[in-house]
């Protein structure tokens, strides 16, 4: 029986508990025989009430870690995340709360590497905005960084090598907090990856399909976009909430309803859809679903719509510049 691990630092002012509830429910739908472990602190656990306690229905084991309450939520959550290997025995798959599971996760546990993760934004390029911002702030050279992985989905075996990498990750992260007041964990992970060569290996992108990067930049122009969405096992939709968004789980009002009423039939309809772009528009829905049969005319249709969109955008930009 394999282990799925979540970290939750939350209170009534956020919706992380609701995200966690949804993610856990999708894990159990497709992996009924797994154990779900929740890592949290006393303040968070005591605050799981008024609808937020529903996540307890899915949890096999809760581990309450003693953390100072006067630290911010982001500090406490990243403290637990970068030190997670010391709190859990055995192999585990760590998931961020803003994930949805669309299929079985069992294949990940057949992995023979010490750790596996998906590249940040599905790009094998260290020159990413987050890392560049960090480098400009710290003046650290590019040479000290390894591959830049997204830390939202991590498979970790219980080996000396994984313990060592986590120790270095936690140490680097604490240094970033102390020296730069910088709380993001991924640059510290990249430094630990460089120091612990070949401990983390690359995982197939379908196990951490990062929704935001698929909906932006030039990534959308490639067939990779369609491949990832059509084959996705884990959707990572990122928890920046908005008043309006095509995907319901990024809408504040939708999450408020979950706190009030739990996982209703309306919510279940969202969770069973094959991909988030089902809610965007009929073009994206058509593209993703037809990519399952690799329909070449559909790919041509995609390029046609995107090219027309870019041409229209350029025309509007020219008009604005003239004004």
């Amino acid at each position: 029986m394999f282990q799925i691990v979540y970290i939750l630092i939350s209170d009534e002012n956020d919706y992380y508990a609701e995200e966690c509830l949804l993610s856990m429910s999708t894990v159990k739908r497709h992996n009924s025989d797994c154990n779900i472990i929740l890592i949290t602190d006393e303040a968070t656990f005591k605050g799981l009430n008024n609808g937020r306690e529903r996540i307890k229905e899915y949890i096999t084991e809760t581990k309450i870690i003693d953390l100072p309450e006067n630290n911010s939520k982001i500090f406490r959550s990243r403290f637990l995340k970068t030190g997670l290997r010391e709190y859990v025995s055995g192999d585990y798959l760590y998931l961020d709360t803003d994930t949805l599971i669309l299929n079985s996760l069992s294949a990940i546990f057949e992995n023979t590497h010490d750790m596996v993760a998906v590249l940040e934004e599905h790009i094998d390029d260290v020159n990413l905005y987050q890392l560049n911002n960090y480098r400009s702030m710290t003046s650290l050279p590019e040479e000290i960084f390894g591959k830049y992985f997204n830390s939202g989905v991590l498979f970790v075996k219980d080996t000396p090598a994984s313990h060592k990498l986590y120790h270095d990750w936690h140490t680097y992260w604490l240094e970033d907090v102390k020296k730069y007041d910088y709380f993001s964990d991924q640059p510290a992970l990249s430094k630990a990856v460089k120091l612990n060569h070949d401990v983390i290996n690359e995982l197939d992108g379908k196990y951490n399909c990062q929704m935001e990067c698929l909906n932006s930049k030039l990534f959308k122009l490639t067939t990779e976009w369609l491949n990832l969405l059509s084959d996705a096992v884990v959707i990572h939709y990122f928890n920046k909430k908005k008043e309006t968004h095509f995907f319901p789980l990024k809408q504040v009002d939708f999450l408020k309803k979950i706190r009030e009423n739990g996982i209703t039939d309306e919510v279940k309809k969202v969770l069973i859809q094959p991909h988030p772009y089902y809610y965007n528009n009929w073009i994206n829905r058509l593209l993703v679903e037809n990519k399952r049969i690799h329909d070449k005319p559909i790919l041509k249709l995609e390029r046609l719509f995107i090219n027309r969109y870019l041409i229209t955008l350029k025309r509007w930009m020219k008009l604005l510049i003239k004004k």
Side-chain angles (χ1 to χ4, degrees):
M1 189 173 291
F2 53 85
Q3 300 184 118
I4 308 294
V5 180
Y6 291 88
I7 290 169
L8 181 64
I9 298 295
S10 176
D11 58 31
E12 68 280 358
N13 298 314
D14 60 59
Y15 293 97
Y16 298 129
E18 286 71 29
E19 289 178 354
C20 201
L21 170 69
L22 297 177
S23 185
M24 287 179 176
S25 73
T26 58
V27 165
K28 280 296 189 180
R29 178 181 296 114
H30 299 287
N31 307 269
S32 58
D33 59 343
C34 74
N35 287 332
I36 293 181
I37 299 173
L38 180 69
I39 309 295
T40 187
D41 67 352
E42 188 70 30
T44 299
F45 191 72
K46 284 182 177 179
L48 293 177
N49 47 42
N50 298 322
R52 302 171 73 247
E53 73 281 359
R54 292 187 180 96
I55 66 169
K56 295 178 182 179
E57 300 172 20
Y58 297 97
I59 297 169
T60 309
E61 180 183 1
T62 300
K63 295 192 175 188
I64 300 175
I65 309 302
D66 186 22
L67 294 175
E69 290 187 31
N70 58 340
N71 281 308
S72 66
K73 286 187 287 187
I74 190 171
F75 176 91
R76 286 147 54 205
S77 68
R78 299 303 186 272
F79 186 95
L80 292 177
K81 187 174 185 178
T82 59
L84 182 59
R85 179 65 277 181
E86 299 307 310
Y87 307 131
V88 182
S89 298
D91 303 347
Y92 63 78
L93 177 66
Y94 165 79
L95 296 174
D96 273 355
T97 59
D98 54 351
T99 53
L100 293 179
I101 312 309
L102 306 181
N103 214 324
S104 172
L105 297 167
S106 59
I108 296 180
F109 285 81
E110 297 172 4
N111 206 290
T112 58
H113 299 293
D114 296 291
M115 296 176 65
V116 290
V118 175
L119 292 172
E120 172 76 353
E121 296 193 5
H122 304 277
I123 300 171
D124 191 7
D125 183 3
V126 78
N127 295 308
L128 294 164
Y129 69 93
Q130 187 183 16
L131 191 51
N132 276 337
N133 289 343
Y134 175 81
R135 278 207 304 266
S136 66
M137 178 180 66
T138 62
S139 300
L140 293 174
E142 182 174 321
E143 289 72 24
I144 75 164
F145 297 97
K147 278 198 170 185
Y148 201 60
F149 290 101
N150 182 279
S151 61
V153 178
L154 288 171
F155 172 69
V156 185
K157 294 185 76 67
D158 196 346
T159 64
S162 69
H163 279 265
K164 172 66 165 54
L165 187 141
Y166 261 92
H167 174 270
D168 295 333
W169 184 13
H170 189 64
T171 301
Y172 283 136
W173 179 79
L174 286 173
E175 288 177 359
D176 287 346
V177 172
K178 184 177 181 180
K179 291 181 180 178
Y180 312 114
D181 197 33
Y182 189 84
F183 293 91
S184 177
D185 60 272
Q186 288 186 173
L189 175 60
S190 183
K191 286 189 282 185
V193 168
K194 179 74 171 181
L195 184 63
N196 298 269
H197 186 61
D198 289 337
V199 174
I200 294 190
N201 282 262
E202 189 175 341
L203 180 63
D204 190 316
K206 68 182 181 181
Y207 290 107
N208 185 358
C209 188
Q210 297 158 55
M211 177 177 160
E212 287 298 304
C213 76
L214 301 182
N215 194 37
S216 64
K217 303 180 182 178
L218 293 178
F219 192 95
K220 193 169 183 177
L221 299 179
T222 71
T223 56
E224 245 185 301
W225 175 70
L226 298 176
N227 284 328
L228 281 169
L229 281 171
S230 62
D231 297 333
V233 176
V234 179
I235 293 288
H236 191 179
Y237 58 90
F238 300 122
N239 55 25
K240 292 181 179 178
K241 301 296 175 287
K242 300 181 179 180
E243 294 300 324
T244 59
H245 193 279
F246 74 83
F247 189 43
L249 300 192
K250 293 180 74 69
Q251 299 170 13
V252 173
D253 287 344
F254 193 81
L255 291 167
K256 285 180 180 177
K257 291 179 183 178
I258 294 170
R259 179 173 297 182
E260 293 168 1
N261 306 311
I263 301 178
T264 61
D265 288 341
E266 178 189 7
V267 176
K268 288 178 182 177
K269 287 179 182 178
V270 175
L271 300 181
I272 64 174
Q273 297 306 334
H275 55 84
Y277 289 85
Y278 183 89
Y279 294 92
N280 193 356
N281 57 59
W282 69 269
I283 298 171
N284 279 340
R285 185 161 64 248
L286 181 69
L287 290 170
V288 175
E289 291 173 358
N290 278 275
K291 186 63 179 84
R292 294 177 187 278
I293 57 174
H294 301 276
D295 192 336
K296 291 181 180 179
I298 291 296
L299 296 182
K300 291 177 182 177
L301 181 65
E302 177 205 19
R303 295 189 190 101
L304 172 65
F305 275 102
I306 290 173
N307 287 339
R308 291 193 65 177
Y309 168 76
L310 292 175
I311 290 168
T312 303
L313 183 62
K314 287 177 182 177
R315 286 174 179 170
W316 276 105
M317 291 296 290
K318 287 180 180 178
L319 286 173
L320 288 172
I321 291 169
K322 285 181 180 178
K323 289 181 179 181

